[in-house]
Amino acid sequence: DTEVTQTPKHLVMGMTNKKSLKCEQHMGHRAMYWYKQKAKKPPELMFVYSYEKLSINESVPSRFSPECPNSSLLNLHLHALQPEDSALYLCASSQGAEQGRYEQYFGPGTRLTVT
Amino acid sequence: GQNIDQPTEMTATEGAIVQINCTYQTSGFNGLFWYQQHAGEAPTFLSYNVLDGLEEKGRFSSFLSRSKGYSYLLLKELQMKDSASYLCAAPTRDIGYNKLIFGAGTRLAVHP
């Protein structure tokens, strides 16, 4: 089973709203990722958690706040977003480089629209 | 610097064979990935090459030459459903290889 689940599938939010994106995997993977993807562009890395600790923050604005409550769950808290933040947000997981395994498995994504 | 290059768009005919090329420069080589992404959907893992040579998986094959910094994805017996973007990616030594660098993606259109 290589399934990563994400909720919600679609989200429309105003610039003053607070919302959260959720991601879950039950593959025992120890690395989890958030990506942002605009149309016709490759995924753009935002955050990496390794063993439940934040290991990479790609200079993402503070209006995006990641959280890793446990090894299976990853959240992305959104607050005061801008219309240009509208994109497909992808979660991914992998066994992790520490295990010598680098392939990442992606969830279906959340299509976010900021109005 | 670190860079992955692949053609932006390709077209092919149903039933034909198409080869999508990728050249890369990364800090510390630890293999090369190919992902398929249909429009509006998540990338799905196709292949991972770490040793030189061709790896075949059904209609899809992937080739790697580490000395040339070159890979290709070969799709045989093309079907309409193969119309998608194909992403070449490599783990980078930055932060211990947990980060993938992606190419811009090759949009493949398969015509009847």
Side-chain angles (χ1 to χ4, degrees):
Chain A
D1 182 13
T2 55
E3 189 179 26
V4 178
T5 59
Q6 288 186 245
T7 55
K9 285 189 177 180
H10 301 276
L11 178 62
V12 179
M13 61 186 289
M15 290 190 282
T16 58
N17 292 158
K18 284 185 181 181
K19 297 285 185 183
S20 297
L21 309 184
K22 297 186 183 299
C23 174
E24 191 167 4
Q25 58 87 13
H26 293 289
M27 296 178 277
H29 288 174
R30 303 315 300 265
M32 295 186 76
Y33 310 78
W34 280 116
Y35 288 88
K36 173 182 176 180
Q37 188 175 28
K38 292 280 205 178
K40 298 186 178 181
K41 297 286 186 185
E44 181 184 336
L45 183 66
M46 300 174 74
F47 302 104
V48 180
Y49 274 83
S50 179
Y51 289 86
E52 300 162 50
K53 292 185 180 173
L54 184 65
S55 63
I56 299 178
N57 176 341
E58 293 285 276
S59 303
V60 178
S62 60
R63 58 185 184 268
F64 295 91
S65 175
E67 178 196 19
C68 189
N70 60 54
S71 60
S72 300
L73 293 174
L74 188 65
N75 298 323
L76 186 64
H77 302 298
L78 314 172
H79 174 54
L81 295 193
Q82 304 296 310
E84 59 264 28
D85 297 321
S86 298
L88 181 68
Y89 287 83
L90 294 163
C91 174
S93 71
S94 74
Q95 290 192 19
E98 297 82 1
Q99 306 295 323
R101 297 298 298 269
Y102 312 103
E103 65 268 31
Q104 296 181 19
Y105 296 93
F106 287 83
T110 294
R111 175 72 59 189
L112 174 68
T113 303
V114 182
T115 60
Chain B
Q2 303 185 97
N3 200 45
I4 293 185
D5 287 316
Q6 52 182 130
T8 305
E9 293 184 352
M10 298 183 73
T11 59
T13 305
E14 195 174 15
I17 299 173
V18 72
Q19 177 174 312
I20 302 174
N21 296 325
C22 169
T23 57
Y24 64 87
Q25 282 182 299
T26 59
S27 62
F29 182 75
N30 240 325
L32 199 100
F33 292 97
W34 284 97
Y35 284 86
Q36 180 192 59
Q37 187 175 25
H38 287 99
E41 297 182 11
T44 54
F45 170 73
L46 288 178
S47 66
Y48 174 51
N49 292 66
V50 65
L51 299 175
D52 288 351
L54 185 68
E55 298 223 356
E56 298 186 64
K57 205 185 280 187
R59 294 189 299 114
F60 293 7
S61 303
S62 55
F63 172 84
L64 177 68
S65 168
R66 288 173 296 173
S67 62
K68 295 181 180 176
Y70 167 69
S71 173
Y72 67 72
L73 181 69
L74 193 70
L75 291 76
K76 303 177 197 172
E77 300 168 20
L78 280 172
Q79 302 175 9
M80 298 297 290
K81 66 179 182 179
D82 297 329
S83 293
S85 280
Y86 291 86
L87 297 160
C88 181
T92 171
R93 188 185 290 157
D94 295 352
I95 322 294
Y97 296 105
N98 266 327
K99 179 176 177 177
L100 285 183
I101 295 179
F102 284 91
T106 299
R107 285 191 299 281
L108 174 67
V110 180
H111 299 291

